[in-house]
């Protein structure tokens, strides 16, 4: 399923960027990292996104995993999108945060449409 593959690849790329260029990735989002913060950023922003991306990509090639994987990807992306909107509305935000909100909103839209098509039967 192309939707899970594309979203998974984007999560994987983002996670690798956060893991291998954490200062640059953090700067894009508008914050700086201390030593402990750097370790947490690499673990959570890097590791979690790499794991999500790989799970989505690998699940996309197993027909019996598709519905569950698509549902999980939709709920995860929806959570990120909603909480990013909450953050934007309550805290001063920069261009990188707005760009991520647009991308996450697009993920939610595409994943929701694909989930609807898949489960319409």
């Amino acid at each position: 399923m192309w939707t899970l593959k594309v979203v998974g690849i984007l999560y994987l790329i983002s996670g690798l960027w956060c893991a291998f260029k954490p200062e640059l990735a953090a700067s894009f989002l508008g914050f700086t990292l201390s030593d402990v913060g750097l370790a947490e950023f690499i673990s959570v922003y890097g590791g979690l996104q790499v794991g999500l991306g790989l799970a989505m990509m690998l699940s996309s090639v197993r027909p019996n995993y598709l519905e569950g994987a698509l549902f999980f990807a939709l709920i995860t992306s929806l959570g990120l999108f909603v909480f990013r909107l909450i953050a934007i509305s309550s805290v001063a935000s920069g261009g990188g945060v707005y760009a991520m909100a647009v991308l996450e909103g697009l993920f939610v839209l595409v994943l929701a449409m694909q989930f609807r098509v898949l489960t319409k039967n």
Side-chain angles (χ1 to χ4, degrees):
M1 167 173 297
W2 71 269
T3 310
L4 282 173
K5 284 183 183 128
V6 171
V7 174
I9 288 168
L10 292 173
Y11 271 111
L12 180 65
I13 290 168
S14 178
L16 291 172
W17 184 42
C18 292
F20 294 107
K21 295 287 186 181
E23 292 88 0
L24 182 60
S27 173
F28 176 76
L29 295 171
F31 58 94
T32 56
L33 302 170
S34 65
D35 289 340
V36 174
L38 179 60
E40 185 67 9
F41 188 85
I42 290 169
S43 300
V44 175
Y45 281 77
L48 182 61
Q49 289 188 82
V50 166
L52 287 170
L54 287 173
M56 288 178 201
M57 290 176 0
L58 294 172
S59 296
S60 74
V61 298
R62 297 287 308 259
N64 55 330
Y65 290 1
L66 286 179
E67 187 175 335
L70 193 55
F71 182 74
F72 183 82
L74 172 59
I75 297 303
T76 300
S77 296
L78 181 61
L80 290 168
F81 178 63
V82 167
F83 278 84
R84 193 169 306 273
L85 291 179
I86 291 168
I88 287 170
S89 69
S90 62
V91 180
S93 301
V97 174
Y98 295 133
M100 294 304 297
V102 170
L103 184 60
E104 288 162 355
L106 183 60
F107 286 175
V108 169
L109 181 64
V110 171
L111 290 166
M113 291 187 322
Q114 189 68 59
F115 185 73
R116 183 171 182 211
V117 168
L118 185 68
T119 58
K120 194 166 182 138
N121 298 334

